[in-house]
Amino acid sequence: MGILIEPDEAERLVREYSDLILRLGYTWLKSTQDAEDICQNVLLSLVEKRNYPTSPEEERAWIIRMAINACKNLRRSAWRSRTVGLDTVAEQAAFQPDPGGVLETVQALPLKYREVTALYYFIGYDTNEIASLLHITPAAVRKRLSRARDILREQLKEENL
């Protein structure tokens, strides 16, 4: 399939959303390489299909939903369960969180807490926007954030002892 959008529009999409997609991918997958793959796939999909919303808020939400779905699909794939990542056999060349740091502690959270924490604190969505993206209630988002904070508080307190 050929490119259906102008090169300037493609550059804008990459400039505006590549970092966001990378951060989401890393939060979901805990792998820099997988996050880069997700980012590339989502951006290619955007460039090939110009059927996404045109308002900036809807566009951003739609792209985040695409990235989350791509991460879910990768996590469920049979290929992923039968392969070993390069990070287990080679030295890391890309960004990795500091051992014992806050980001590493957030990455250790269960997925349902990690995703709301990333969307709320790292990306800046409010609880209603997160609820809409994840198809859960705002009350569930607030409860997950509260539980995530409690877990983080306890883990960080233990590390500082």
Side-chain angles (χ1 to χ4, degrees), residues 58-158:
E58 290 176 356
E59 178 183 79
R60 182 177 165 98
W62 192 79
I63 290 170
I64 288 172
R65 175 78 337 222
M66 278 183 67
I68 289 172
N69 287 340
C71 290
K72 285 181 178 180
N73 290 342
L74 183 60
R75 287 174 56 95
R76 283 192 295 246
S77 74
W79 175 85
R80 183 176 167 94
S81 65
R82 290 182 288 203
T83 59
V84 177
L86 288 176
D87 55 343
T88 60
V89 293
E91 187 177 323
Q92 288 293 329
F95 164 78
Q96 293 296 317
D98 295 330
V102 175
L103 182 57
E104 185 178 71
T105 308
V106 169
Q107 290 299 100
L109 290 172
L111 179 61
K112 68 181 186 178
Y113 300 136
R114 191 170 65 238
E115 68 185 354
V116 295
T117 302
L119 290 170
Y120 187 80
Y121 289 107
F122 301 153
I123 298 179
Y125 276 124
D126 66 32
T127 56
N128 292 328
E129 292 169 322
I130 296 170
S132 175
L133 284 170
L134 299 179
H135 305 294
I136 58 177
T137 65
V141 171
R142 288 188 292 275
K143 189 63 171 176
R144 288 180 185 184
L145 281 170
S146 174
R147 288 180 178 162
R149 286 184 204 112
D150 291 343
I151 293 168
L152 289 170
R153 189 177 302 115
E154 286 301 313
Q155 288 178 349
L156 292 171
K157 191 184 300 183
E158 289 174 11

